Amino acid sequence: MDKSKAYEKNAETFLKLRGHVNNTIGVEEVRKWTQSLPDKSRVLDLGCGNGFPLTKILVDHDLDVYAIDASESLCRDFKKNFPETSIACETAENSELFKLKFDAILSWGLIFLLTEKEQEALIKKVSEALFINGRYLFTAPWQKTRWKDTLTGEDSVSLGRNRYKELLNSAGLIVLDEFQDSGENHYFSCIKK
């Protein structure tokens, strides 16, 4: 079974479409979020791919970055791109890195690749891994919907704004803001209270 949700077999395509420094989708939004974090914050990047373009923003902001991705090929590229940054080649839902505490967690383009039960469990793990006032930024369509991922052909599911807010609130996370980027990705910006 492919633990990477078919990103391993599609790693080369991912790198051409998304995993390069010239990709600007999400860059400004993550940069603004990063600037709101305290200096030297410990940040976890869930589903980091090869680190471009978003992990680069975290590293360039001189944050203490940890990363997770389930694709072995993308992890190898990540290690070449960011040799000083810790990466675990494992699934987010089963990662040992959740034993650590973080000031912030980023999850761009990941959560909706998981089943509903996996999403519920991941939100709980995120909350448990965050310090009080820790930040969580993730992308998922605001509407409840199902579709085939355009890159992998795998099932994707958004639980929708209301269900996400319900799960986040029950985990002690409050949505501070919602917004979209130029690629029409919907963001939920949260804080742990």
Side-chain angles (χ1 to χ4, degrees), residues 6 8 17 32-33 49 88 91 96 100 113-114 120 132 141 162 166 170 182:
E8 177 59 29
L17 296 174
K32 284 180 186 174
W33 177 75
T91 64
E96 292 293 313
L100 301 175
L113 299 174
L114 307 176
E120 291 172 5
I132 298 299
N162 292 340
E166 183 181 293
S170 69
S182 62

Side-chain angles (χ1 to χ4, degrees), residues 154-176:
E154 297 288 312
D155 289 332
S156 296
V157 59
S158 169
L159 306 182
R161 173 186 286 137
N162 292 340
R163 182 68 177 135
Y164 283 126
K165 284 186 173 182
E166 183 181 293
L167 291 170
L168 292 161
N169 285 336
S170 69
L173 296 163
I174 298 166
V175 176
L176 296 174

Side-chain angles (χ1 to χ4, degrees), residues 5 10 12 16 41 44 47 99 109-110 143 180:
K5 308 288 184 187
N10 292 286
E12 189 175 318
K16 288 178 186 171
S41 289
L44 178 59
K99 292 179 180 177
L110 171 72
Q143 65 274 43
Q180 285 192 322

